[in-house]
Every structure is written in structure tokens, then in C-alpha cells.
Amino acid sequence: CIGITGETEYADLFKEEIDLKLHNMVISKEDFQREIKVRISLLIRELDDINDISSNIIRSMIVRGKYIDDKELLDQLNYEEFLKVMEKLKFDNKAFNLLLPKQKKN
């Protein structure tokens, strides 16, 4: 599930640009590796806060039914498998919500 938000006066153009980007998305090996490094650095930063650590453990127990170290998961990712998954993604099933400001009463 992907959520994208924006504030614009050109909602139709915004929607078209998002569709175009999703259908023509290219992620380089360097970008993929950079994102993994960012995720690992965020995990390391969380080690400073006992509440973050306990939240991660509880979230893992709820979502996965057991504790799995996120660092181990990140270490197992590889670019070739990622590309295979990306090929299978379809962005045709989507919802578009437009929120308009409340009109002032006279």
C-alpha cells in the first residue's frame, strides 16, 4: 500500500504525473543500496531509545508472530530479487481522494 499526498491547485495534473511516475519507475542499484544504508542507520539511531527498541520488538511479534531482527532482513535483500518484485507490481488498482477546503458561509 502506497500513500501519496500533495497540496495543489492542479489535482488532475498531479494525479497524471503520479501515474506516469509509478508506471515508469526506475530504481538504480546505487539508489537501492543507499536506501538500505539509510534504513540501517535509522535502526542504529533507534538503539538510543529503549521505547523505540521495545516498540520494534512488539511490532515484529504482532506482524510476524515472532521477533525478527530488521537488520537481518535488510542484510538479506538483493537488487536482482528487488527487480523481480518490481516487475510484478501493478499500479492500476488505486484510489484518488480529493479534499477541498470548506466553503465560508456568508
Side-chain angles (χ1 to χ4, degrees), residues 19-95:
D19 282 342
L20 187 65
K21 294 284 187 191
L22 288 175
H23 285 93
N24 298 309
M25 188 175 357
V26 176
I27 298 174
S28 70
K29 188 170 187 174
E30 292 78 21
D31 288 341
F32 175 79
Q33 291 170 334
R34 186 180 314 108
E35 185 62 29
I36 289 175
K37 289 177 183 177
V38 167
R39 298 292 168 181
I40 290 172
S41 70
L42 291 173
L43 289 174
I44 291 169
R45 198 171 93 203
E46 287 176 356
L47 293 174
D48 286 341
D49 188 345
I50 191 71
N51 291 324
D52 283 344
I53 295 169
S54 63
S55 293
N56 283 341
I57 293 170
I58 292 169
R59 184 174 48 250
S60 178
M61 296 292 288
I62 292 170
V63 172
R64 301 175 184 129
K66 62 182 178 178
Y67 175 70
I68 298 175
D69 183 14
D70 289 338
K71 169 76 168 68
E72 289 177 26
L73 291 176
L74 290 169
D75 288 340
Q76 294 172 9
L77 296 177
N78 73 55
Y79 185 67
E80 289 72 27
E81 287 182 27
F82 168 74
L83 290 177
K84 289 177 187 176
V85 171
M86 287 295 291
E87 287 175 12
K88 294 178 183 179
L89 290 179
K90 305 242 185 282
F91 296 105
D92 300 326
N93 185 11
K94 59 188 167 286

